[in-house]
Amino acid sequence: MSTKTSLRPPGPKGRLLVGNTVEYDRDRMGFLRRTSAEYGDVFSFDSRTIVVFEPDLVHELLARTNGDFSSESSAVATRFDAERSAEDAELWMAARRAGWRGLNRATAQAHAIRLGALFERTIEETLGQPVDVLAMMKSFSGRATADFCLGPDAGGMPEVIAENTAAIEPLSGSSQLFPAWLPSKRIARFRRARDHTLDSITARIRRRAAEPAPAEARDLLDVLLAVPGLSELQVQRLIRGILLAAFGVPAAAMTWTVWTLTTRPDLWDRVATEASQWDGASVPPLSALPQTEAVVKEVLRLWPPTWLMGRIALRPTTLGQWALQPEDQVMFSPYLIHRDPRWWTDPDEMHPERWLDPAMTPRRHSYLPFGAGPRVCVGTQLGMLQLTLATFWLARNYQVSAPAAARSGPEFHNLLVPTGFTASFQRSS
């Protein structure tokens, strides 16, 4: 391929005025598959958006985030300000680096112990009754992440985040972004929910800051407040970002895990056998659960909740041979990269052995359920901890009945979720 810079990659012209939006919203995954098959690994969606499926180019895009590209996103249309975006990124990254350096094994272990009680409480609330699994797992992940971030001040926060997320979904479910000033009930609801979330987090930060510092950090908020020079705004933004990101994504991943285990009894038996070998005296480290962790990784490969990601160009730049202007968008789909037969053997098949056999190591840059680069999902390690332990507790302590699971197909909306997946949970005998 020539290395000469070209203006734009080829792509479908679409319809007058609306371009490709109608066709895309009608069948998002079908549109991406068809267009990629016709135009290749890089194509234009419209005059300001390109779509990339080549793993090395995606990795380059992610690695250059905060420099040439921004990960900023919004549920409403706002004027993009490259300078402000760069400043916001630095605030976020400084808080993130400080927070993660301050976390220690004792803090993580304390959260893991509380996590088990939260998982049991969530399951026991509907024991023996048919339940929407995604809704149940949203309840669990909301409680779990609020506990990780806010510990003793987590009360009420999952409900606040649930409302914030519910207000975002109708706006982000369309390819069209509407301006924040539009007189719309949906936008007014979004603004109220956003402001309530910020006020709720700020109140908890100030209440905690007024208390004597504990001898040992109990949660992320304790860690952040102990960092010299970290502003209230930085703490607020980091905690809000984690709470919002960790509400839906882990819930969708855990829902797919339950779906996988109920449709693959052999995998359930494999995970349950491993779980039964733990003595139960404490929470196991992930190193003691290789089979369980491999199943979780394979679920995230086949069903990455964030199935579509993107970046915005901050300045005139290039990606591969393609020229980009400020505010141009670059989109990519982990789902399609994860299922590309060029990078994966039997890409549509569930093979947890991929993660246990060194000879099956995936192609570099072809696995990115959490993104990559400097803005890799801040909850990557937390998410793997929560998902693996929840799967361990599920197989160890419960039985699941989901006779209609096979009829639950994937829905490519804001998140990738199984449609209409219901199940009932019982204590193991």
Side-chain angles (χ1 to χ4, degrees), residues 187-203:
I187 292 177
R189 179 192 178 194
F190 162 71
R191 289 199 301 264
R192 288 195 303 270
R194 178 196 58 197
D195 293 345
H196 186 207
T197 299
L198 294 173
D199 291 344
S200 299
I201 295 172
T202 300

Side-chain angles (χ1 to χ4, degrees), residues 59-69 71 89 92-93 96-97 311 370-378:
H59 178 77
E60 179 186 342
L61 172 73
L62 296 175
R64 291 166 58 193
T65 299
N66 291 351
D68 295 323
F69 298 95
S71 62
W92 168 274
M93 293 302 295
R96 171 174 163 158
R97 288 190 295 266
R311 295 291 186 265
F370 300 103
R375 292 302 289 263
V376 64
C377 177
V378 70

Side-chain angles (χ1 to χ4, degrees), residues 144-205:
T145 308
D147 174 86
F148 174 78
C149 291
L150 301 169
D153 292 314
M157 205 65 220
E159 292 76 16
V160 172
I161 296 300
E163 171 54 28
N164 199 159
T165 303
I168 291 172
E169 286 179 351
L171 299 174
S172 57
S174 170
S175 301
Q176 298 287 341
L177 287 180
F178 299 98
W181 50 260
L182 195 70
S184 158
K185 290 183 178 179
R186 289 182 175 181
I187 292 177
R189 179 192 178 194
F190 162 71
R191 289 199 301 264
R192 288 195 303 270
R194 178 196 58 197
D195 293 345
H196 186 207
T197 299
L198 294 173
D199 291 344
S200 299
I201 295 172
T202 300
R204 286 163 171 80
I205 293 171

Side-chain angles (χ1 to χ4, degrees), residues 169-368:
E169 286 179 351
L171 299 174
S172 57
S174 170
S175 301
Q176 298 287 341
L177 287 180
F178 299 98
W181 50 260
L182 195 70
S184 158
K185 290 183 178 179
R186 289 182 175 181
I187 292 177
R189 179 192 178 194
F190 162 71
R191 289 199 301 264
R192 288 195 303 270
R194 178 196 58 197
D195 293 345
H196 186 207
T197 299
L198 294 173
D199 291 344
S200 299
I201 295 172
T202 300
R204 286 163 171 80
I205 293 171
R206 292 175 179 174
R207 185 164 62 239
R208 183 80 64 88
E211 300 172 353
E216 186 78 47
R218 300 159 293 181
D219 49 46
L220 181 60
L221 182 54
D222 277 345
V223 170
L224 294 174
L225 291 177
V227 177
L230 210 58
S231 70
E232 180 181 276
L233 178 62
Q234 287 175 293
V235 176
Q236 178 212 70
R237 286 187 178 180
L238 182 62
I239 289 180
R240 178 178 180 267
I242 294 173
L243 287 171
L244 285 174
F247 183 80
V249 172
M254 194 62 208
T255 302
W256 279 116
T257 302
V258 176
W259 181 88
T260 298
L261 293 178
T262 56
T263 55
R264 286 285 302 274
D266 59 316
L267 294 183
W268 180 284
D269 290 343
R270 187 185 305 183
V271 173
T273 297
E274 182 174 75
S276 68
Q277 294 169 356
W278 186 252
D279 62 14
S282 60
V283 177
L286 298 196
S287 59
L289 304 172
Q291 296 288 339
T292 306
E293 188 175 22
V295 168
V296 170
K297 286 182 176 179
E298 188 70 345
V299 166
L300 290 171
R301 183 188 71 82
L302 283 171
W303 311 108
T306 309
W307 64 276
L308 189 69
M309 301 183 188
R311 295 291 186 265
I312 302 172
L314 290 169
R315 56 182 60 86
T317 187
T318 60
L319 185 66
Q321 72 181 82
W322 309 109
L324 297 168
Q325 297 303 313
E327 300 185 46
D328 281 358
Q329 295 191 65
V330 183
M331 308 300 295
F332 63 95
S333 173
Y335 178 91
L336 288 175
I337 293 174
H338 290 179
R339 290 174 178 256
D340 193 318
R342 293 174 295 175
W343 325 130
W344 302 88
T345 303
D346 298 326
D348 294 322
E349 300 300 321
M350 165 69 65
H351 290 315
E353 296 77 12
R354 299 179 203 274
W355 309 102
L356 301 169
D357 183 354
M360 299 180 71
T361 301
R363 181 201 191 272
R364 194 178 183 201
H365 304 155
S366 65
Y367 183 68
L368 55 162

Side-chain angles (χ1 to χ4, degrees), residues 48-117:
R48 303 306 302 269
T49 306
I50 68 172
V51 182
V52 178
F53 292 133
E54 208 291 319
D56 290 340
L57 275 186
V58 171
H59 178 77
E60 179 186 342
L61 172 73
L62 296 175
R64 291 166 58 193
T65 299
N66 291 351
D68 295 323
F69 298 95
S70 168
S71 62
E72 181 176 308
S73 63
S74 175
V76 295
T78 57
R79 190 179 73 83
F80 183 73
D81 185 324
E83 184 175 345
R84 180 186 57 78
S85 178
E87 291 174 355
D88 287 349
E90 181 51 38
L91 282 174
W92 168 274
M93 293 302 295
R96 171 174 163 158
R97 288 190 295 266
W100 256 247
R101 279 199 302 268
L103 290 172
N104 55 43
R105 182 173 296 181
T107 307
Q109 184 69 10
H111 168 67
I113 292 171
R114 298 193 301 266
L115 188 68

